[in-house]
Amino acid sequence: MLNENIRNLRKSRGLSQDELAARLHVVRQTISKWENGLSVPDSEMLIKLAAVFEVSVSDLLGAEIPTEQEAQKQIAEQLQQINEQLAIRNRRTKKVLKVIAAIIIAVILINTVLLAVNFSTFESIAEPTIVESQEYEVGEN
């Protein structure tokens, strides 16, 4: 784990074994031995390595540090999940908007029908009715 982390961090920072060795004041072969798991750095060197790579010593020792390709793959997977969640949210929003539009149209239609019924009832009441009067002659019988 440590050897892989050293190699991955060195490569992700764009450093050669020679450049890392120069920064740590060791020979290139020491870096090679660490990366191949043939030896391990002492505690002081671990602190220096962590400082060069800008990570904690515990991360350097315990956490698996992904390669650049693995990191890109993880980011791509996370973006894909986010896109799927957004697509689901958009579909839900469209469904809700369709339901709201249908309700609004139904309310408008019902109000229009009620208005028409009320208007026709009002007209029939408002028309004067003609009452024919019949005169009855009182006849002599």
Side-chain angles (χ1 to χ4, degrees):
M1 173 90 53
L2 174 62
N3 60 332
E4 293 171 1
N5 286 346
I6 293 172
R7 180 182 305 113
N8 290 340
L9 285 167
R10 177 181 60 78
K11 287 182 179 182
S12 70
R13 302 297 193 275
L15 297 172
S16 66
Q17 287 183 345
D18 286 326
E19 291 169 329
L20 181 57
R23 287 188 183 187
L24 297 173
H25 306 290
V26 296
V27 295
R28 185 199 59 78
Q29 287 80 2
T30 302
I31 304 297
S32 177
K33 286 180 182 180
W34 292 344
E35 289 183 359
N36 290 317
L38 300 175
S39 69
V40 293
D42 62 17
S43 59
E44 286 183 36
M45 197 55 65
L46 281 173
I47 294 170
K48 289 180 183 179
L49 273 169
V52 168
F53 293 139
E54 298 174 346
V55 296
S56 69
V57 173
S58 60
D59 285 342
L60 189 62
L61 288 172
E64 182 178 339
I65 299 171
T67 63
E68 188 173 332
Q69 291 172 344
E70 290 171 341
Q72 288 175 352
K73 183 178 177 183
Q74 288 174 350
I75 291 170
E77 288 172 358
Q78 290 173 347
L79 288 174
Q80 182 180 4
Q81 288 175 349
I82 290 169
N83 284 334
E84 289 172 2
Q85 290 171 351
L86 288 174
I88 291 169
R89 184 181 297 165
N90 286 341
R91 284 192 295 268
R92 286 182 187 160
T93 301
K94 286 180 183 180
K95 285 181 183 178
V96 168
L97 290 176
K98 285 180 183 179
V99 169
I100 290 172
I103 291 171
I104 290 172
I105 290 171
V107 168
I108 289 171
L109 288 175
I110 291 170
N111 283 333
T112 303
V113 169
L114 290 175
L115 185 63
V117 169
N118 285 337
F119 186 70
S120 66
T121 304
F122 178 73
E123 277 190 359
S124 67
I125 293 174
E127 290 179 4
T129 57
I130 300 173
V131 176
E132 293 181 23
S133 61
Q134 297 177 351
E135 291 183 23
Y136 294 101
E137 292 183 22
V138 178
E140 294 176 19
N141 284 349

